[in-house]
Amino acid sequence: MPSRSDLANAIRALSMDSVQKAKSGHPGAPMGMADIAQVLWADFLQHNPANPDWYDRDRFVLSNGHGSMLIYSLLHLSGYDLPIEELKNFRQMDSKTPGHPEYGYTVGVETTTGPLGQGIANAVGMALAEKVLAGQFNREGHDIVDHNTYAFLGDGCMMEGISHEVCSLAGTLGLGKLVAFYDDNGISIDGEVEGWFTDDTVKRFEAYGWQVIPRVNGHDPEEIKQAIETAKANTEQPTLICCKTIIGFGSPNKEGKEDCHGAPLGDDEIVLTREKLGWNHPPFEIPADIKAKWDAKEAGAKAEAAWDEKFAAYSAAYPELASEFVRRMKGELPGDFSAIADAFIESVNAKGEVIASRKASQNSIEALAPSLPELFGGSADLAGSNLTLWSGAQGVSAADPSGNYCFYGVREFGMTAMINGITLHGGLKPYGATFFIFMEYARNALRMAALMKQPVIHVYTHDSIGLGEDGPTHQPVEQLTAMRSTPNLNTWRPADAVESAVAWVCAIQSTQTPNAMVFSRQNLAHNERTAQQIADIRKGGYVLKAATNPDAVLIATGSEVSLAVEAAATLEAQGKSIQVVSMPCTDVFDTQDQAYINEVLPAGVKRFAIEAAAKDFWYKYVGLDGGIIGMSSFGESAPAGELYKHFGITAEALVALVEEKI
Ligand SMILES: Cc1ncc(C[n+]2csc(CCOP(=O)(O)OP(=O)(O)O)c2C)c(N)n1
Ligand SMILES: [Mg+2]
C-alpha cells in the first residue's frame, strides 16, 4: 500500500526527470509543493479526469506557473488525457506540456499562468464567478453551483502588486470558497528572499479580511489536511494556508537553495535524490500500485454522477432556470440575441444622435443587457465616467452576490485578470472599464486574454487628446498601436453612436477573441449610412463616402472620421474625387478577403490617415507615398478644441497634406 510520501515522490520524480530530459524547466517548486498537492488532490479536489469541463468541478490554479511540471504530473497521475509520452516531451514543439501551464493546450489546465500574480487574480475571478452564479441560480435545497477554487502561489506572486489588488477585493467580497496555499520556501530566483521580501504575510492577509492559517508544515500531510478542513469550514472568508516548504525537497545538495528553482538538477544529483527519497524506479516509470492510488477517474465519475442527480432534481423543480444555466455555461447567446441586436442598431441609426461614444456605449448596454442576463459589468472606480452602469445594474457584495456588476475599485490590473478568471469559469460574460490610458496598468492581463482566446470585453473611455483638460497624463497616444499589434485582440474606436452599437454587438458575439472598445469623452457627429454600410461596419473598415476614380482615400477612426468627411468636402469643392473610409477596427478589417479590401482601399490611389494618436501604425495602410495626420508627442492640458488645433489634427491640415501629395 503506497504511503502519501510515495505518492508525492511520484510528482517529484516526474518533475525532476522531465526537466532533466528537456534540459530546461523548474523542478524546485513541484518538488517543494508535492506533499501539499498530494493531500489536496487525493482528499479534497472534486474533479473528473474524464470530463474536465464538468460545470461544478473545483477549480485549481497554479499561480506560480513556472512549476508547471507539478500540474502536468498531477493531471497525468490522476488520469487526465495526458499520457506519459507528453511528459517526456516537456517544453517541446507541439507537446501538450509547454513550458508554463497553458489553457487550451493541456486538458485540465484552467488558466494560463507564468506571469506571476495573475494566476491568483484569475482564481479570485473564478471564485467570484462561483459566488455570483450560486447567488443567481441556487435555490433552497438545490445548491447546483457549489465548488471551491484552490490556488497555489509562491513568493513571486506575493511580491507582485496585483496580488494585493485582488486579495484585498477577495476579502471584501467574502469569497469563502477560495483557498490559497502560499509556498513559503524563502527562496526566489536571486536567492533567499530575506533581502527583498520581509512582509508579515499573515498580518497582511488578516488585514484583507482573510482567514489565515499560519506556519503549516508543508511536508506534513496531517497538518495540511487539517488546514484544508479549517479552510473549507469557513465559508465567509477566503483562506490563506501559509505552508513552510523546502524548495527542491529531496535533492540532497540543492534543496532549500535557489539552484533548483529554474534549472535541471543534473544527472548526478538526480541519482542522489532518488536515493534520498527512496524512489528506485527508472525515469517516467510509475509503479502500478502508486498509479492506481493516484487514479481519480472512478471517484471523479461518482462525484459528477452525484451532481447530475442534484441537477436533475433542480431541472424538475426549476426547468427554465436549469436550461438557462446550461445555456450560459455553454457560452451560447440567447436565441433571439441577433434579432434584438439588429433592431437596436437600426433604432440607433434612426435616432442619429450626436453624443459621446461613451454615452453611446452606455445606451448599448442599456439596450442589450436586459436580454443578456450573463452580462456582468464593472469598472475600476470610474463608473460615472466610463458610463458602464445601466438601469438594471446591481452591485455584488459579500452579503448579496446575486447581482450583475462589480465595483472593482481602483484596481485596473486586478480587474482585468479577474475578468479573465470569470470568463474561464463560464456562466458570465464580463465587461470591465477604465480610462483608456490606464489600460497600460492592465496590459499584460489583456494580453493573457488574447493568448487564451477568451472573449472578454473592455470599455476604455477618454480615448485621446479629445478628453481635454486632464492633460498628458490622461491622454492616450501610443496605446492604440500597442493594442493593434497584440495578436488576437480586436480594438474598436467607433466614430459615432451607430458604430458604437455595432462594436458592442460584435464584442458580445465574439467567441475566441477579446474586444476592447475605445470611446470618446466628447460628442461625436452622426454619419448617414445605407443599410449596406451599416452591415459593413462589422467588417472593421468600410467606405463611408464612396468616390468614382478617387484621387485620394482618407482613412479615419473615431472622432477624426468627421474631420475626414469635412476635408473630403473641401477637396471635392476643388474638383477632386475623394473616398472616405471609416476604420473602427483594423484587426477585423485585416481579416477581410482581398476583393473587399481592394474595394475599400483601391490599389494605386494615394491614401491618407488621420487619427489623434501615434502616427506610425498607419504606414501599413498609407505606405510611404501617402500621408498621416497624427500625434508624435504627448498631449497637453487645455480644452479639447484648442488641443486639436495645437497638434494640427484638423480638417485643414488634412486638406493641405492631400494637396501637397497629389
Ligand atoms: C511577472 C513576472 N515577473 C518575473 C517572472 C520571472 N520569474 C519566474 S519565477 C520567479 C521567481 C519566483 O519566486 P517564487 O515564487 O518564490 O518561486 P520559487 O523559486 O519558490 O519556486 C521569477 C522572478 C515571471 N514569471 N513573472
Ligand atoms: Mg519561493
Side-chain angles (χ1 to χ4, degrees):
M1 182 77 167
S3 67
R4 281 190 188 272
S5 73
D6 294 331
L7 299 178
N9 286 340
I11 296 175
R12 295 189 172 101
L14 288 173
S15 299
M16 68 181 181
D17 291 334
S18 298
V19 170
Q20 189 64 39
K21 185 157 187 291
K23 300 193 184 69
S24 148
H26 301 74
M31 296 176 78
M33 293 198 85
D35 297 302
I36 305 166
Q38 190 278 321
V39 175
L40 175 65
W41 280 57
D43 294 26
F44 295 95
L45 195 75
Q46 295 291 305
H47 64 129
N48 182 5
N51 180 13
D53 298 326
W54 168 31
Y55 300 143
D56 204 39
R57 69 191 181 280
D58 288 339
R59 304 315 196 256
F60 175 78
V61 174
L62 187 71
S63 191
N64 45 350
H66 55 278
S68 60
M69 269 313 304
L70 176 60
I71 199 165
Y72 298 146
S73 303
L74 288 163
L75 293 169
H76 167 72
L77 289 166
S78 54
Y80 283 78
D81 182 17
L82 193 66
I84 194 75
E85 287 68 36
E86 293 292 343
L87 276 69
K88 292 181 189 167
N89 250 337
F90 180 48
R91 296 195 150 206
Q92 305 310 306
M93 187 67 82
D94 296 331
S95 81
K96 291 180 178 165
T97 54
H100 289 86
E102 294 211 32
Y103 178 80
Y105 283 62
T106 316
V107 280
V109 166
E110 302 276 6
T111 179
T112 300
T113 51
L116 294 171
Q118 282 192 66
I120 183 66
N122 297 158
V124 170
M126 290 174 189
L128 176 59
E130 194 271 353
K131 187 162 170 148
V132 169
L133 288 170
Q136 293 181 353
F137 284 98
N138 287 355
R139 291 294 179 269
E140 191 69 39
H142 295 275
D143 288 340
I144 57 148
V145 182
D146 183 13
H147 55 265
N148 285 97
T149 301
Y150 296 105
F152 283 8
L153 69 162
D155 301 297
C157 295
M158 285 293 188
M159 283 185 260
E160 286 292 351
I162 189 174
S163 68
H164 165 70
E165 295 184 18
V166 298
C167 293
S168 154
L169 190 56
T172 300
L173 293 173
L175 303 182
K177 291 205 194 130
L178 174 64
V179 182
F181 298 76
Y182 169 33
D183 184 31
D184 182 8
N185 60 18
I187 292 289
S188 65
I189 291 182
D190 284 349
E192 292 177 11
V193 300
E194 264 170 24
W196 47 89
F197 184 47
T198 57
D199 296 3
D200 187 328
T201 300
V202 173
K203 282 193 188 147
R204 173 184 164 193
F205 277 74
E206 280 172 354
Y208 293 153
W210 286 49
Q211 164 175 250
V212 183
I213 306 177
R215 288 180 304 279
V216 170
N217 177 348
H219 301 296
D220 180 334
E222 270 317 301
E223 272 191 44
I224 298 162
K225 191 172 169 188
Q226 268 301 317
I228 300 174
E229 269 159 12
T230 308
K232 288 195 66 173
N234 183 341
T235 56
E236 310 277 299
Q237 293 171 291
T239 296
L240 181 72
I241 304 178
C242 297
C243 303
K244 280 275 174 209
T245 65
I246 298 169
I247 189 170
F249 183 96
S251 160
N253 298 301
K254 297 196 170 174
E255 68 173 19
K257 299 185 187 136
E258 66 271 24
D259 305 22
C260 64
H261 161 91
L265 296 182
D267 289 326
D268 296 345
E269 186 66 11
I270 283 181
V271 170
L272 298 176
T273 306
R274 281 195 145 68
E275 255 168 48
K276 182 164 173 183
L277 293 173
W279 185 266
N280 304 315
H281 320 289
F284 303 107
E285 277 184 31
I286 306 293
D289 57 340
I290 292 181
K291 195 86 203 291
K293 192 85 183 145
W294 263 113
D295 195 325
K297 290 201 291 285
E298 203 181 310
K302 255 193 214 156
E304 186 173 348
W307 183 83
D308 287 343
E309 263 178 45
K310 274 205 314 196
F311 193 70
Y314 178 78
S315 303
Y318 304 99
E320 276 175 26
L321 270 180
S323 62
E324 186 67 354
F325 178 75
V326 171
R327 175 188 74 75
R328 285 175 51 177
M329 289 304 292
K330 282 186 177 162
E332 289 169 358
L333 291 175
D336 55 359
F337 180 77
S338 53
I340 290 170
D342 289 346
F344 168 61
I345 292 165
E346 236 167 76
S347 76
V348 174
N349 183 53
K351 270 195 208 149
E353 282 181 298
V354 176
I355 49 175
S357 53
R358 64 176 170 149
K359 180 65 190 163
S361 164
Q362 186 176 41
N363 292 347
S364 305
I365 300 170
E366 186 70 50
L368 301 172
S371 53
L372 212 60
E374 58 266 51
L375 207 60
F376 185 77
S379 158
D381 205 40
L382 285 169
S385 295
N386 300 146
L387 299 181
T388 43
L389 286 166
W390 60 288
S391 60
Q394 187 201 331
V396 294
S397 65
D400 182 4
S402 64
N404 56 12
Y405 194 92
C406 183
F407 291 93
Y408 287 99
V410 193
R411 299 180 177 94
E412 296 81 10
F413 192 13
M415 168 180 73
T416 309
M418 278 177 66
I419 282 175
N420 292 346
I422 294 169
T423 309
L424 287 159
H425 180 283
L428 296 170
K429 198 156 190 50
Y431 63 91
T434 181
F435 285 150
F436 186 31
I437 195 68
F438 301 129
M439 171 282 296
E440 296 280 352
Y441 275 47
R443 188 166 146 63
N444 199 267
L446 190 60
R447 181 178 193 271
M448 294 303 287
L451 182 59
M452 290 192 277
K453 302 191 172 86
Q454 293 303 295
V456 301
I457 301 173
H458 288 282
V459 170
Y460 295 133
T461 68
H462 299 61
D463 67 333
S464 70
I465 51 166
L467 66 86
E469 293 83 348
D470 267 332
T473 57
H474 284 52
Q475 290 161 356
V477 174
E478 71 279 28
Q479 287 61 37
L480 283 167
T481 302
M483 294 208 324
R484 286 171 181 152
S485 49
T486 303
N488 192 42
L489 169 64
N490 292 344
T491 304
W492 295 85
R493 187 167 183 255
D496 62 8
V498 178
E499 285 190 9
S500 301
V502 173
W504 255 106
V505 170
C506 291
I508 288 169
Q509 289 173 333
S510 178
T511 57
Q512 302 273 311
T513 303
N515 282 263
M517 292 173 286
V518 180
F519 293 120
S520 72
R521 171 176 183 263
Q522 74 276 27
N523 282 352
L524 303 181
H526 168 73
N527 296 283
E528 292 297 331
R529 295 179 186 83
T530 63
Q532 186 57 48
Q533 284 173 314
I534 293 174
D536 285 345
I537 296 172
R538 56 165 59 237
K539 294 183 181 157
Y542 62 99
V543 177
L544 181 64
K545 195 195 93 41
T548 37
N549 299 324
D551 299 307
V553 176
L554 310 185
I555 312 167
T557 79
S559 43
E560 286 69 73
V561 168
S562 63
L563 300 182
V565 170
E566 195 187 322
T570 307
L571 290 162
E572 298 225 305
Q574 301 170 4
K576 298 193 175 74
S577 174
I578 306 292
Q579 179 147 306
V580 178
V581 169
S582 179
M583 186 88 81
C585 184
T586 60
D587 312 274
V588 174
F589 179 72
D590 290 349
T591 66
Q592 302 306 317
D593 61 45
Q594 198 56 49
Y596 181 77
I597 290 175
N598 290 345
E599 208 178 289
V600 177
L601 302 176
V605 182
K606 281 195 181 158
R607 301 169 191 166
F608 298 84
I610 179 166
E611 187 171 56
K615 284 171 153 178
D616 286 3
F617 170 81
W618 290 100
Y619 281 110
K620 79 169 180 170
Y621 297 108
V622 307
L624 294 177
D625 57 349
I628 305 165
I629 301 275
M631 301 282 295
S632 39
S633 70
F634 293 119
E636 293 289 351
S637 178
E642 271 182 52
L643 288 171
Y644 275 91
K645 283 198 198 94
H646 176 78
F647 290 107
I649 299 175
T650 60
E652 297 75 46
L654 181 56
V655 168
L657 186 65
V658 174
E659 284 171 340
E660 178 198 320
K661 297 256 184 178
I662 64 172

